Amino acid sequence: MTMPTFRGEIEQITESVWTTVLGMPLVPASALRRQEAGPDTFAGRVCIDGAWAGEVVVICSRTMARRAAALMFEVPAAEASDSDMQDALNELTNMIGGNFKALLPESCRLSLPSAPPGVGVPVATAGTVQGNVSLESEGEPVNVVLIEHAR
């Protein structure tokens, strides 16, 4: 089942989760601020399966992942470990994915959040990008990619 692009919904969901959980506003980023996966980024992913199959991937800078971990786990930013940063991003990704899943018209299941396999590779499977939202908070980019898997 091919679905329409949910760019606006993904942007609104991400902004709501970021503000509610972290108390940090997100605003649309310029194309130049888009965060691509790389060696100094963190990415979280949740897969959706059922009537619709795909994944939600959230990519952010190390600096943003550190800020998120510090706020979520109430530790000084300097003390946030890579594991803390990944856990924080995974939890944010899970919330974004869960809210997106609720928009789907038919029953679907949400996987546990994980880091995408492969260093700096946000997507492990073939699919079609159905939404790619670039945001930023406190000058740091956050990118959310919605991918529909081929069946």
Side-chain angles (χ1 to χ4, degrees):
M1 145 180 160
T2 301
M3 67 175 202
T5 300
F6 278 98
R7 187 186 192 306
E9 289 85 349
I10 289 293
E11 185 173 325
Q12 184 175 45
I13 287 167
T14 305
E15 288 173 355
S16 176
V17 167
W18 225 259
T19 302
T20 301
V21 175
L22 302 177
M24 299 171 67
L26 277 175
V27 296
S30 69
L32 298 176
R33 293 292 298 162
R34 175 170 284 167
Q35 180 66 64
E36 301 296 338
D40 203 34
T41 60
F42 280 77
R45 175 181 76 167
V46 290
C47 294
I48 299 171
D49 193 29
W52 184 85
E55 56 193 86
V56 176
V57 179
V58 179
I59 307 164
C60 71
S61 67
R62 173 176 290 279
T63 300
M64 178 52 66
R66 185 176 304 283
R67 287 178 188 163
L71 290 166
M72 289 179 77
F73 304 130
E74 299 178 346
V75 299
E79 294 179 19
S81 68
D82 282 2
S83 178
D84 292 337
M85 290 185 265
Q86 188 63 59
D87 287 349
L89 189 57
N90 283 351
E91 186 54 34
L92 291 163
T93 304
N94 191 50
M95 290 180 217
I96 294 165
N99 279 281
F100 172 72
K101 182 182 81 76
L103 298 177
L104 298 173
E106 298 182 41
S107 177
C108 292
R109 294 170 303 283
L110 189 68
S111 73
L112 292 174
S114 64
V119 177
V121 179
V123 185
T125 56
T128 304
V129 173
Q130 294 293 339
N132 192 338
V133 177
S134 296
L135 303 160
E136 64 180 72
S137 182
E138 298 181 359
E140 290 296 322
V142 175
N143 198 48
V144 183
V145 184
L146 176 66
I147 297 132
E148 182 176 11
H149 291 175
R151 291 198 183 238

